[in-house]
């Protein structure tokens, strides 16, 4: 079984879409998504600097648009369900791309929704200087106690020994000054304390938009950030997309579900690399591919043909 995953904020890098623009039709696809989001994804994916694409209002449409555009290179439409039965999931904002890929939202709805999500979260972040830091390694109980002591929220529980702490810059600085034993604390390239109470105003805005959106039932299994459960009912997916702005991302539970479902292969759409890295540590024996450039397309299509058909390849060594 194959899972196709869409990355979250912080995975973007300057110029990451440049090689994709050499593909016929890719620029047109990206410009269409840009029009829906009212954000210039071509410029931000090729020439904008790191500070520009760190801006939440830019980063979120850029990441979702990149995932959908690269998915279009693997299938006729982003909403096409693989007849062979792949599973979809996305980390944080990537869950919007996954919902479109699974047919819950149209690509236009996805881009409008992510535009408003990014704007709302950027506005919420401007109220108080906040951020996020990854805590790598250490004893889980020690990490949990350290976050609680500093008043931080475990906003992303990513599995494979990684927890992302979110809160004010002062709280994060205190964590870096007194890290839990045997851990590394790494500041992330995000501009707010996402998936915490700091995002309440963005949730209120998105709830209003969700009330007038049409959501379809998923055509393929969609694994939810909230609890790792498979969700297919369209309005439930949309409700979860709104609520997850202020709730912790449980990617650890998503990976546990992938394992329980018998997933043998994972493809991460652009901007790829982060979720594959977690899978290499948390889902050993699963073949992985980070779809970073058009050079990876042939391998991705071969993985779709083998894993999605339920046939694990003879060589199951982790790659990508």
């Amino acid at each position: 079984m194959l899972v196709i995953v869409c990355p979250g904020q912080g995975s973007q890098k300057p110029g990451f879409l440049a090689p994709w623009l050499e593909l016929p039709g890719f620029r047109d696809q990206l410009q269409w998504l840009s029009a829906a989001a009212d954000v210039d994804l071509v410029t931000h994916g090729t020439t904008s600097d790191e500070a520009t694409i760190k801006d939440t209002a830019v980063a979120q449409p850029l990441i979702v648009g990149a995932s959908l555009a690269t998915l279009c290179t693997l299938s006729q439409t982003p909403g096409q369900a693989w007849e062979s039965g792949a599973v979809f999931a996305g980390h944080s904002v990537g869950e919007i791309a996954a919902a479109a890929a699974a047919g819950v939202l149209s690509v236009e709805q996805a881009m409008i929704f992510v535009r408003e999500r990014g704007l709302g979260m950027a506005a919420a972040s401007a109220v108080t200087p906040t951020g996020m830091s990854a805590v790598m390694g250490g004893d889980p109980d020690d990490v949990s106690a350290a976050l609680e002591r500093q008043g931080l929220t475990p906003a992303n529980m990513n599995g494979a020994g990684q927890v992302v702490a979110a809160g004010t810059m002062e709280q994060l600085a205190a964590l870096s000054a007194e890290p839990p034993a045997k851990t590394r604390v790494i500041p992330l390239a995000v501009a707010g304390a996402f998936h915490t109470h700091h995002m309440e105003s963005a949730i209120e805005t998105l709830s209003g938009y969700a009330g007038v959106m049409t959501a379809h039932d998923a055509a393929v299994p969609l694994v939810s950030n909230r609890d790792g459960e498979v969700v297919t009912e369209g309005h439930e997916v949309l409700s979860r997309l709104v609520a997850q702005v202020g709730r912790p991302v449980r990617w650890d539970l998503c990976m546990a579900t992938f394992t329980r479902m018998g997933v043998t292969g994972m493809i991460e759409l652009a901007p790829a690399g982060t979720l594959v890295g977690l899978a290499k540590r948390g889902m050993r024996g699963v073949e992985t591919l980070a779809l970073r450039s058009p050079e990876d397309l042939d391998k991705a299509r071969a993985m779709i043909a083998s894993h999605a058909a339920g046939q694990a390849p003879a060589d199951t060594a982790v790659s990508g």
Side-chain angles (χ1 to χ4, degrees):
M1 176 177 284
L2 181 75
V3 61
I4 298 176
V5 296
C6 307
Q9 195 164 340
S11 57
Q12 73 277 14
K13 293 179 176 60
F16 76 95
L17 282 178
W20 292 94
L21 292 180
E22 299 175 11
L23 294 178
F26 191 90
R27 181 184 292 269
D28 292 339
Q29 178 68 31
L30 205 58
Q31 288 176 331
W32 175 250
L33 297 173
S34 296
D38 195 24
V39 175
D40 187 351
L41 304 181
V42 175
T43 296
H44 293 315
T46 56
T47 61
S48 291
D49 61 18
E50 185 172 2
T52 300
I53 65 173
K54 179 182 176 180
D55 180 348
T56 302
V58 171
Q60 294 194 11
L62 177 61
I63 290 164
V64 170
S67 291
L68 292 176
T70 52
L71 179 59
C72 277
T73 66
L74 293 175
S75 62
Q76 292 181 348
T77 65
Q80 178 184 18
W82 302 113
E83 293 181 0
S84 46
V87 177
F88 281 90
H91 187 285
S92 187
V93 73
E95 198 165 40
I96 299 172
V104 175
L105 304 175
S106 69
V107 293
E108 294 81 10
Q109 285 178 312
M111 295 309 298
I112 293 169
F113 188 84
V114 74
R115 177 191 69 202
E116 297 304 319
R117 184 186 193 270
L119 289 170
M121 293 174 73
S125 299
V127 174
T128 303
T130 57
M132 304 175 82
S133 294
V135 182
M136 312 290 291
D139 179 83
D141 290 337
D142 290 345
V143 171
S144 178
L147 299 193
E148 184 176 357
R149 186 165 57 250
Q150 302 298 348
L152 291 161
T153 299
N156 299 167
M157 301 185 73
N158 288 331
Q162 184 188 112
V163 174
V164 175
T168 67
M169 301 309 292
E170 291 82 2
Q171 291 169 329
L172 292 170
L175 179 68
S176 293
E178 286 186 65
K182 300 180 180 179
T183 67
R184 289 187 299 140
V185 178
I186 305 171
L188 299 183
V190 297
F194 307 147
H195 307 292
T196 71
H197 67 278
H198 292 284
M199 297 293 111
E200 287 298 328
S201 61
I203 295 173
E204 183 177 351
T205 299
L206 289 175
S207 294
Y209 291 130
V212 296
M213 291 173 66
T214 300
H216 301 279
D217 290 348
V220 292
L222 189 61
V223 180
S224 171
N225 280 186
R226 178 183 296 182
D227 47 20
E229 293 299 312
V230 175
V231 182
T232 57
E233 200 276 319
H235 288 291
E236 175 64 15
V237 173
L238 186 55
S239 174
R240 285 173 177 241
L241 287 177
V242 172
Q244 62 119 277
V245 171
R247 290 174 178 263
V249 171
R250 295 302 306 269
W251 193 251
D252 56 339
L253 299 181
C254 290
M255 289 199 296
T257 297
F258 302 155
T259 300
R260 188 168 62 250
M261 295 175 79
V263 164
T264 55
M266 172 189 286
I267 296 174
E268 182 180 0
L269 301 175
T274 300
L275 301 182
V276 157
L278 292 172
K280 286 180 177 180
R281 298 189 295 274
M283 299 173 62
R284 296 187 184 278
V286 171
E287 185 181 16
T288 61
L289 174 66
L291 194 60
R292 292 189 175 95
S293 77
E295 295 180 357
D296 300 315
L297 286 170
D298 286 344
K299 184 172 183 180
R301 291 176 179 132
M303 284 184 64
I304 289 168
S306 59
H307 292 283
Q311 300 295 323
D315 179 7
T316 57
V318 174
S319 60

